[in-house]
Amino acid sequence: MSAHTQTAEKGQNTTLLCQESYVCSGTDEAIFECDECRSLQCQRCEEELHQPERLRNHERTRIRPGHVPYCDSCKGANGNIMHASMTGSRQIAAVRCQVCKINLCVECQKRTHAGGNRRKHPVTVYHAGKPQEQEEEEGMDEETKRRKMTEKVVSFLLVDETEEIQVRNEEDFIKKLDCSPDQHLKVVSIFGNTGDGKSHTLNHTFFYGREVFKTSPAQESCTVGVWAAYDPVRKVVVIDTEGLLGATVNLSQRTRLLLKVLAISDLVIYRTRADRLHNDLFKFLGDASEAYLKHFTKELKATTARCGLDVPLSTLGPGVIIFHETVYTKLLGSDHPSEVPEKLIQDRFRKLSCFPEAFSSIHYKGTRTYNPPTDFSGLRRAVEQQLENNTTRSPRQPGVIYKALKALSDRFSGEIPDDQMAHSSFFPDEYFTCSSVCLSCGCGCKKSMNHAKEGVPHESKSRCRYSHQYDNRVYTCKACYERGMEVSVVPKTSASTDSPWLGLAKYAWSGYVIECPNCGVVYRSRQYWFGNQDPVNTVVRTEIEHVWPGTDGFLKDNNNAAQRLLDGMNFMAQSVSELSLGPTKAVTSWLTDQIAPAYWRPNSQILSCNKCNTPFKDNDTKHHCRACGEGFCDGCSSKTRPVPERGWGPAPVRVCDNCYENRGIQLDVAELPSDEEGGTLIARKVGEAVQNTLGAVVTAMDIPLGLVKDAARPAYWVPDHEILHCHNCRKEFSIKLSKHHCRACGQGFCDECSHDRRAVPSRGWDHPVRVCFNCNKKPGDL
């Protein structure tokens, strides 16, 4: 039994001869290899040897050019490995022992034929050739090789119908594509109405008819969401989309998803089976072009900068191929060979007032199907020609493709209200712009979706109108505006330079103030008591601004006046409880001491009349002499005279009997410091009119505190009944654990988490007030 009869030339194997002498005596060329017989067999020997019933089921393999049999010694009769040094894969034989009639690899030959008589056994050497798969590929034509490359391609769901990306990250995207992360790719997607055979078109154009994208003869659409697959032949990511006119749920979101796919594509195939091109095709492409330029161009530029991409994302849209299949009608431009289909398509766009200027090119490829199947060869050539053009759209790495899709999904996402579904456009602005609406005028925000995540404020195309409910009038200082600065000002209860109670006293007397950080106090509402001009006509400019949901609105400082009075009342209530006095007189005495001139004796030290020594009871009124400053009863201080030496001016004021009788004697009064004269005395003058005004505050002491707090609470404070635990430490509030509001954020805190004090000018608190731990850490003015 011989084997090779010729020597190898140039590394090629010689012809393998039959290793059985059953019929041919080993002279015929081997055609089969039988594992059970462990030999190469010619046609005649194979037929005779396997005639018996028990041998018919032997596993036989047809020998291909360059074939080398496997080692017989590496495996037992049942194919198991015989020695541990070998791997599970079958080893290629190096020689055949003509005596033992077995094929041996190099290691097995050394192990079994290195000594004894076997060392003298004659062997036939197998010349190592190229691997079988490589030999097969070399024997294939180019078309067959391409088919083989696409045999293992599978598609995967990229984005579902709710616009959620179904790959975890960039690495997962590359893994599912089954391509190298450094491979430069282009993206081809397909659009069209449901039932027009989009998936079938992709399968035949890129994958030689293999069902990479699922197709179905059923009425229901078999493509839901966006599916992707990698074509290793053309180095292309192929994307299949859901058909138009087929979805009944989330229609707006599904339509918006199509534009995201279009934005990351280099080439778009619009598939239609209509015998005549419908207007919907032109309107879809025209609306897509407009929406792409308006909403996506800017975002793609931002993505390039934000992600630091080496390859800039093209702001020019993809190329378009309109693939038109007809049965009964002629193809576009076939009536007149001189007419170019692309020219006819451009004319049609203009007639419909649709302008697809976003697309880098628009081509028409038609095929008329007299008898199925459809001929996709023309489309395949057109696609390959467009992919070779890198003038406007260059290939990029798969990671760049994923980042672009992720950026667009993050920006343009979220549910679209049902009332925005009925539109004349395929891609209305509502699909891509912020859904917030001004509470005052009802105008929508013109910014793109999710802009608030980047700290960009809302903005509207039109001006707002004034609403008394939201008081959305904003003042700017007119003097600063004329100097080229725009400084916002708000009406306030007091100037920032006033002490809290002096400011409130002035507020009761002179009304609110308007204070500019640059110009100081520019207006008081009751400065002259009559004939006072409106600030809009004199010192400020007004603008009406939009009121957006979730904002604090337009809080004026005097909105906090009630709470500021309440804060003072709480302090007064503590004084009342400490002195064990009735609330009305205690509050009056306390207020008098706060704004009294320095030479007055404090109310707390006045226990009896300085002249008649009558003790004062809880409800008795104490009167100060404006000349000497001592305390008297009403009977001993009923007279009046001017006291200009004390700063009270020429008007008569209350004095005691002794000072009235000695009115001719000049008082020896030390010269008062200018700041005291402008502070304490003015405060007392104002206080003469304020005490009656603040009578309501005193009376309010008898009202349940809860009612007062509800009435006085600023609009941005969280109501007490909604505060169940501390906003910071999460301790649950109880009778023993009191609630406190942070004057900056308005949330409820326990005392430990809000014991800091800071001025909050943005909320109208010019003097240190309670703020929470978090707000106190913020830099700059609150």
Side-chain angles (χ1 to χ4, degrees):
M1 294 189 292
S2 60
H4 291 284
T5 59
Q6 303 174 14
T7 59
E9 295 180 4
K10 297 182 182 180
Q12 300 295 325
N13 282 334
T14 58
T15 303
L16 293 174
L17 299 181
C18 181
Q19 296 171 349
E20 298 286 353
S21 305
Y22 196 72
V23 177
C24 69
S25 301
T27 58
D28 290 359
E29 182 181 356
I31 303 298
F32 298 98
E33 179 182 17
C34 180
D35 276 353
E36 281 79 3
C37 298
R38 296 194 295 179
S39 65
L40 305 179
Q41 302 166 2
C42 66
Q43 184 74 37
R44 292 186 294 165
C45 290
E46 186 269 337
E47 291 176 357
E48 289 295 330
L49 283 171
H50 295 91
Q51 283 290 338
E53 185 71 28
R54 61 187 179 83
L55 302 179
R56 288 181 181 174
N57 292 329
H58 280 193
E59 184 176 349
R60 303 182 291 281
T61 305
R62 180 175 288 274
I63 295 174
R64 296 182 179 273
H67 177 78
V68 177
Y70 291 106
C71 175
D72 295 321
S73 182
C74 288
K75 57 180 181 173
N78 58 356
N80 293 329
I81 302 300
M82 295 296 292
H83 54 279
S85 64
M86 309 306 301
T87 61
S89 61
R90 301 174 66 181
Q91 301 300 309
I92 298 296
V95 298
R96 178 175 178 82
C97 179
Q98 296 182 7
V99 177
C100 302
K101 298 182 180 179
I102 59 173
N103 300 313
L104 298 171
C105 63
V106 174
E107 187 172 344
C108 289
Q109 182 188 13
K110 292 178 181 179
R111 182 170 54 84
T112 60
H113 287 63
N117 293 330
R118 290 187 177 183
R119 185 175 58 180
K120 300 179 181 180
H121 286 185
V123 295
T124 301
V125 178
Y126 292 114
H127 295 279
K130 295 182 180 179
Q132 184 174 341
E133 291 184 2
Q134 186 176 346
E135 291 284 350
E136 291 177 4
E137 288 185 6
E138 288 184 354
M140 298 177 187
D141 58 12
E142 191 66 26
E143 189 72 11
T144 307
K145 288 181 182 179
R146 288 187 169 194
R147 287 176 181 270
K148 190 172 181 63
M149 290 174 66
T150 61
E151 284 179 355
K152 296 181 180 179
V153 175
V154 293
S155 62
F156 60 94
L157 181 61
L158 180 57
V159 187
D160 65 13
E161 66 273 19
T162 61
E163 299 182 286
E164 292 291 331
I165 296 180
Q166 297 301 298
V167 290
R168 295 187 298 273
N169 48 40
E170 183 179 329
E171 290 73 21
D172 190 31
F173 176 67
I174 297 172
K175 181 180 178 182
K176 289 189 175 183
L177 284 179
D178 193 20
C179 69
S180 169
D182 297 325
Q183 180 67 58
H184 283 67
L185 313 172
K186 284 193 174 185
V187 181
V188 177
S189 57
I190 192 166
F191 295 89
N193 290 334
T194 184
D196 273 354
K198 299 183 302 301
S199 303
H200 181 75
T201 300
L202 293 180
N203 290 338
H204 282 269
T205 304
F206 295 95
F207 305 109
Y208 301 95
R210 284 188 59 248
E211 193 171 287
V212 173
F213 296 105
K214 183 181 177 183
T215 60
S216 171
Q219 284 291 326
E220 294 78 15
S221 176
C222 57
T223 303
V224 178
V226 172
W227 292 72
Y230 173 58
D231 176 10
V233 176
R234 301 168 184 84
K235 305 297 186 293
V236 166
V237 178
V238 184
I239 295 182
D240 190 15
T241 62
E242 192 170 347
L244 298 169
L245 309 179
T248 57
V249 181
N250 298 331
L251 177 60
S252 300
Q253 289 177 258
R254 292 180 174 188
T255 306
R256 181 172 60 191
L257 175 58
L258 296 180
L259 193 60
K260 297 179 190 176
V261 173
L262 183 145
I264 65 169
S265 299
D266 298 284
L267 183 63
V268 170
I269 302 171
Y270 192 101
R271 172 73 154 105
T272 177
R273 278 181 172 170
D275 273 338
R276 294 177 177 84
L277 296 180
H278 293 164
N279 288 346
D280 283 350
L281 181 153
F282 297 93
K283 187 157 184 59
F284 173 85
L285 293 176
D287 291 346
S289 172
E290 182 181 356
Y292 181 89
L293 293 175
K294 183 181 294 185
H295 304 291
F296 281 28
T297 300
K298 181 180 179 182
E299 186 58 30
L300 289 173
K301 287 182 179 178
T303 302
T304 301
R306 186 167 56 246
C307 300
L309 303 179
D310 296 332
V311 180
L313 299 172
S314 176
T315 54
L316 186 62
V320 176
I321 295 178
I322 299 175
F323 181 52
H324 184 202
E325 181 183 4
T326 67
V327 177
Y328 303 106
T329 59
K330 296 179 181 180
L331 298 177
L332 194 64
S334 60
D335 287 337
H336 304 284
S338 60
E339 292 182 342
V340 180
E342 286 75 11
K343 177 66 167 55
L344 298 175
I345 288 175
Q346 292 292 345
D347 292 341
R348 185 81 172 271
F349 273 118
R350 280 193 292 271
K351 289 179 180 178
L352 294 173
S353 298
C354 299
F355 304 100
E357 59 266 23
F359 301 120
S360 56
S361 63
I362 296 181
H363 296 274
Y364 174 86
K365 181 55 63 177
T367 181
R368 188 170 180 180
T369 305
Y370 295 97
N371 295 303
T374 304
D375 179 15
F376 294 100
S377 59
L379 174 62
R380 190 180 301 115
R381 288 192 298 271
V383 168
E384 291 174 349
Q385 183 180 358
Q386 291 300 309
L387 291 176
E388 290 174 0
N389 181 10
N390 296 328
T391 305
T392 55
R393 310 277 294 197
S394 58
R396 58 243 186 242
Q397 295 174 343
V400 176
I401 297 171
Y402 174 80
K403 288 176 181 177
L405 178 62
K406 184 71 167 60
L408 294 177
S409 294
D410 290 344
R411 168 65 76 183
F412 305 106
S413 60
E415 295 184 2
I416 301 174
D418 292 337
D419 58 357
Q420 295 181 0
M421 290 179 60
H423 291 279
S424 59
S425 172
F426 274 96
F427 303 100
D429 289 345
E430 289 80 1
Y431 286 6
F432 310 100
T433 54
C434 178
S435 59
S436 296
V437 176
C438 174
L439 301 176
S440 179
C441 67
C443 293
C445 175
K446 71 175 185 179
K447 294 290 185 181
S448 61
M449 281 186 161
N450 301 312
H451 64 88
K453 294 179 180 179
E454 300 175 357
V456 179
H458 294 288
E459 185 178 347
S460 179
K461 295 179 181 178
S462 58
R463 299 181 64 85
C464 192
R465 63 171 179 266
Y466 178 74
S467 170
H468 179 74
Q469 177 184 358
Y470 299 104
D471 194 16
N472 53 333
R473 181 185 289 113
V474 176
Y475 297 132
T476 56
C477 177
K478 182 176 290 187
C480 290
Y481 181 79
E482 292 173 352
R483 292 196 297 268
M485 298 179 291
E486 190 163 346
V487 181
S488 296
V489 295
V490 294
K492 304 170 66 175
T493 54
S494 63
S496 58
T497 55
D498 292 337
S499 63
W501 279 100
L502 177 60
L504 288 177
K506 289 183 178 180
Y507 173 65
W509 178 258
S510 300
Y512 69 85
V513 302
I514 296 179
E515 182 179 23
C516 170
N518 300 325
C519 307
V521 176
V522 296
Y523 180 82
R524 287 188 181 274
S525 61
R526 292 196 300 271
Q527 185 171 4
Y528 305 110
W529 286 94
F530 64 90
N532 211 21
Q533 291 183 318
D534 189 277
V536 176
N537 299 325
T538 54
V539 295
V540 297
R541 297 174 64 254
T542 60
E543 291 184 8
I544 309 301
E545 295 200 354
H546 293 279
V547 184
W548 303 106
T551 60
D552 292 332
F554 297 85
L555 300 175
K556 303 296 190 295
D557 179 76
N558 53 357
N559 287 346
N560 297 342
Q563 183 60 42
R564 295 175 69 181
L565 287 170
L566 186 59
D567 286 348
M569 287 171 55
N570 289 335
F571 182 82
M572 286 187 279
Q574 294 175 10
S575 301
V576 170
S577 61
E578 290 171 1
L579 298 174
S580 301
L581 299 174
T584 302
K585 293 302 177 184
V587 169
T588 304
S589 297
W590 181 87
L591 178 60
T592 301
D593 287 342
Q594 297 302 307
I595 59 177
Y599 68 95
W600 280 21
R601 185 179 297 279
N603 278 283
S604 59
Q605 297 178 14
I606 301 174
L607 303 180
S608 60
C609 176
N610 191 55
K611 181 180 181 182
C612 64
N613 293 322
T614 303
F616 288 114
K617 297 180 180 179
D618 291 348
N619 293 328
D620 290 342
T621 302
K622 304 172 184 178
H623 298 280
H624 282 84
C625 172
R626 272 47 172 180
C628 65
E630 296 293 339
F632 299 89
C633 63
D634 182 67
C636 298
S637 60
S638 58
K639 296 179 175 60
T640 61
R641 72 172 178 85
V643 189
E645 62 272 21
R646 290 290 194 184
W648 294 96
V653 290
R654 179 187 292 269
V655 294
C656 64
D657 292 346
N658 292 333
C659 290
Y660 181 78
E661 292 171 358
N662 298 327
R663 58 184 178 274
I665 302 175
Q666 183 69 30
L667 291 176
D668 185 14
V669 180
E671 185 177 353
L672 293 174
S674 59
D675 59 342
E676 183 177 353
E677 182 179 359
T680 56
L681 288 180
I682 293 177
R684 182 58 199 172
K685 292 177 183 179
V686 175
E688 297 287 334
V690 167
Q691 286 191 15
N692 290 333
T693 306
L694 296 184
V697 179
V698 177
T699 308
M701 293 293 295
D702 298 327
I703 303 175
L705 189 58
L707 295 178
V708 177
K709 288 179 68 177
D710 283 339
R713 177 182 294 109
Y716 68 96
W717 281 20
V718 179
D720 281 6
H721 68 272
E722 296 181 10
I723 303 175
L724 304 179
H725 45 70
C726 175
H727 191 69
N728 183 49
C729 67
R730 315 306 291 179
K731 289 181 181 177
E732 189 172 349
F733 288 119
S734 61
I735 298 176
K736 295 182 179 180
L737 187 64
S738 300
K739 306 173 185 177
H740 301 279
H741 281 86
C742 170
R743 269 50 172 176
C745 65
Q747 296 288 345
F749 297 87
C750 64
D751 183 65
E752 291 183 3
C753 298
S754 61
H755 59 77
D756 296 304
R757 299 293 187 271
R758 276 184 67 180
V760 189
S762 64
R763 298 289 194 183
W765 312 92
D766 291 318
H767 301 276
V769 288
R770 181 186 294 270
V771 293
C772 67
F773 175 74
N774 294 326
C775 291
N776 189 48
K777 292 192 299 183
K778 294 180 180 179
D781 293 335
L782 294 178

